[in-house]
Amino acid sequence: MGHQWHELSKTAPLPGLYLQAVRKRKISGTTLPITGLHCSLEVNAERLAAYRTLCHFGDDPLLPATWPHVMAFALHLQLLTAPAFPFPLLGLVHLSNSIQVIRPLGGVSRLRFAVRVENLQAHEKGATFDLITEACDSLGLLWSETSRLLCRGVKLPGEPSIEPEADALPLSELTRWYADSTIGRRYARLCGDYNPIHLSALSARLFGFPKAIAHGMWSKAMALAALRGHLPTSGYAIEVSFHKPVRLPSEVILDASPVAPAGQLRLSGHGGLVHMQGTWRTLEAP
């Protein structure tokens, strides 16, 4: 069954969306809605410059590959807090994120987004689904993203699927950075993701975390900035799985395989704690 698309002229205000998220605390069903959202959004040059600084991208004529995710964040919230969406937003766990840069992200001032959910599957801890985001310019599809999210406690028929692990490549340290105690609040102010687990130790403890944790998409953005010499300007995919959260403050280490059309990365803490693992690969020509 195809999706039914709602055309939006602008995104909804974030405070109202967060209020809806707080009000919904229970699972209301086991069927994903077929409604999707379309919206055209302008690139905010001031926010983009601040994002480049925060995530260490530096000056570049191309948009960071994670920037369309930030642009579409309010659309994500609007879709995931709609009455037809069966799971509470608070408590969803971001398991993985895959981005495809199909054409160079240069000379872009406006993008048309399409956001939808699909692929509901059983998981050993509940159920997973994919949040799909696509960004187009006047020539067509430019960028796409799949975020896999887990809702604990959902009961679905069938057995959880097991994805095969890729053979490990030799990795060496590429860089390291210090995630200070304020990074969650600074990322939230810029990108709109005010999940309490990222803001302070006090608010994080309300959700079972002893300390505030870094946003997963900040960690991915920092890794992408460090991997610029490994990746082409377009025609590639980079996927990461989020493991142990980065507790704030802490130092993390990014290891990567050598420059090649396909490679692997790992973000670790001291003592061998793995926070994030991922792969990149070039896309086949259409």
Side-chain angles (χ1 to χ4, degrees):
M1 182 181 295
H3 280 73
Q4 297 175 355
W5 295 97
H6 286 184
E7 188 71 35
L8 304 177
S9 59
K10 59 181 180 180
T11 57
L14 287 178
L17 296 176
Y18 278 114
L19 182 59
Q20 292 180 50
V22 170
R23 286 174 173 169
K24 182 166 186 176
R25 305 304 295 268
K26 295 182 179 180
I27 297 167
S28 59
T30 55
T31 303
L32 294 178
I34 60 171
T35 302
L37 302 178
H38 277 153
C39 190
S40 294
L41 300 172
E42 300 283 347
V43 175
N44 184 308
E46 185 176 345
R47 284 182 69 209
L48 174 58
Y51 182 80
R52 290 188 190 278
T53 300
L54 185 70
C55 301
H56 297 189
F57 280 104
D59 292 330
D60 194 314
L62 303 177
L63 296 180
T66 46
W67 179 247
H69 170 91
V70 176
M71 292 181 66
F73 181 73
L75 292 175
H76 297 160
L77 286 191
Q78 190 161 346
L79 189 67
L80 299 180
T81 57
F85 187 72
F87 309 140
L89 176 64
L90 295 179
L92 292 180
V93 180
H94 196 177
L95 297 181
S96 66
N97 177 271
S98 177
I99 287 174
Q100 292 191 357
V101 181
I102 297 162
R103 290 186 286 112
L105 298 173
V108 178
S109 61
R110 186 176 182 85
L111 288 171
R112 177 171 170 79
F113 286 93
V115 177
R116 68 187 188 274
V117 289
E118 59 183 39
N119 193 28
L120 186 64
Q121 292 189 16
H123 185 275
E124 61 182 356
K125 295 182 180 179
T128 62
F129 65 93
D130 292 341
L131 174 62
I132 310 292
T133 309
E134 295 177 336
C136 297
D137 61 6
S138 59
L139 298 178
L141 185 63
L142 185 69
W143 174 98
S144 68
E145 174 189 63
T146 300
S147 287
R148 180 154 296 173
L149 300 168
L150 165 69
C151 182
R152 293 189 176 98
V154 180
K155 298 186 183 300
L156 294 178
E159 293 296 323
S161 60
I162 300 176
E163 297 184 4
E165 294 185 4
D167 294 334
L169 298 176
L171 307 180
S172 59
E173 182 176 332
L174 182 62
T175 188
R176 59 179 63 198
W177 62 81
Y178 184 71
D180 66 45
S181 60
T182 70
I183 190 60
R185 294 188 293 276
R186 288 188 286 138
Y187 185 91
R189 283 194 295 269
L190 180 59
C191 301
D193 187 348
Y194 282 95
N195 189 323
I197 63 177
H198 303 304
L199 303 182
S200 70
L202 180 61
S203 60
R205 281 196 288 269
L206 297 175
F207 293 86
F209 293 91
K211 292 184 177 181
I213 63 175
H215 293 78
M217 289 305 294
W218 176 73
S219 295
K220 182 171 184 178
M222 291 286 288
L224 270 165
L227 286 165
R228 279 176 294 180
H230 289 61
L231 303 173
T233 57
S234 65
Y236 69 91
I238 182 162
E239 179 174 355
V240 299
S241 297
F242 301 111
H243 299 296
K244 297 295 184 180
V246 177
R247 295 182 180 180
L248 302 177
S250 63
E251 184 181 53
V252 294
I253 303 152
L254 179 67
D255 297 316
S257 57
V259 177
Q264 297 177 5
L265 64 105
R266 180 181 63 233
L267 187 69
S268 304
H270 291 283
L273 189 66
V274 177
H275 301 299
M276 182 176 76
Q277 288 180 292
T279 62
W280 72 83
R281 60 180 173 84
T282 55
L283 298 174
E284 295 182 3

